[in-house]
Amino acid sequence: MVETIAACVLFLISAGLFILSYRSFREKGFLLNNAYIYASEQERERMEKKPYYRQSAIVLLLLGFSFVFNGMALLPGADWLYWLVGISVAITIVYAIVSSIMIVKR
């Protein structure tokens, strides 16, 4: 029972992440990126926001999949899905670091 409730909560979180990812791909809403959040007002006005929206959208999408895999892993007989959770989190971290370096180099 507890596992089912936890899985439902994880699925709801993943749905929220997918919605935020979709909005970021469309370049709508607040830009959820540290480079933008910590930039001054003058820097925000001069900043090319498109690569940051794309980076945020992909990271949110990968995190959404991580939460889906995590929720599915709570279901009986699906313990092997924890490997997918770990792999998807590792891919997300590597992507965030590499894409940040690529954006700065441009």
Side-chain angles (χ1 to χ4, degrees), residues 53-106:
Y53 268 115
R54 180 169 158 66
Q55 179 190 34
S56 298
I58 292 172
V59 167
L60 290 167
L61 182 68
L62 290 171
L63 286 175
F65 282 120
S66 296
F67 276 88
V68 168
F69 296 147
N70 217 344
M72 290 171 52
L74 290 176
L75 302 177
D79 291 340
W80 61 274
L81 283 170
Y82 286 117
W83 284 98
L84 285 179
V85 173
I87 291 169
S88 64
V89 168
I91 289 170
T92 304
I93 292 169
V94 169
Y95 172 77
I97 292 169
V98 170
S99 65
S100 293
I101 292 169
M102 299 293 283
I103 289 171
V104 169
K105 281 187 177 181
R106 286 186 220 156

Side-chain angles (χ1 to χ4, degrees), residues 18-79:
F18 289 140
I19 291 168
L20 288 173
S21 174
Y22 174 76
R23 290 182 54 81
S24 290
F25 273 120
R26 303 275 319 239
E27 298 180 14
K28 303 287 182 192
F30 186 74
L31 179 54
L32 298 170
N33 193 295
N34 282 344
Y36 181 79
I37 292 171
Y38 292 121
S40 67
E41 287 296 321
Q42 296 83 14
E43 291 172 328
R44 286 182 184 183
E45 291 173 9
R46 291 180 286 147
M47 183 182 286
E48 173 66 33
K49 295 176 186 76
K50 186 173 181 110
Y52 294 108
Y53 268 115
R54 180 169 158 66
Q55 179 190 34
S56 298
I58 292 172
V59 167
L60 290 167
L61 182 68
L62 290 171
L63 286 175
F65 282 120
S66 296
F67 276 88
V68 168
F69 296 147
N70 217 344
M72 290 171 52
L74 290 176
L75 302 177
D79 291 340

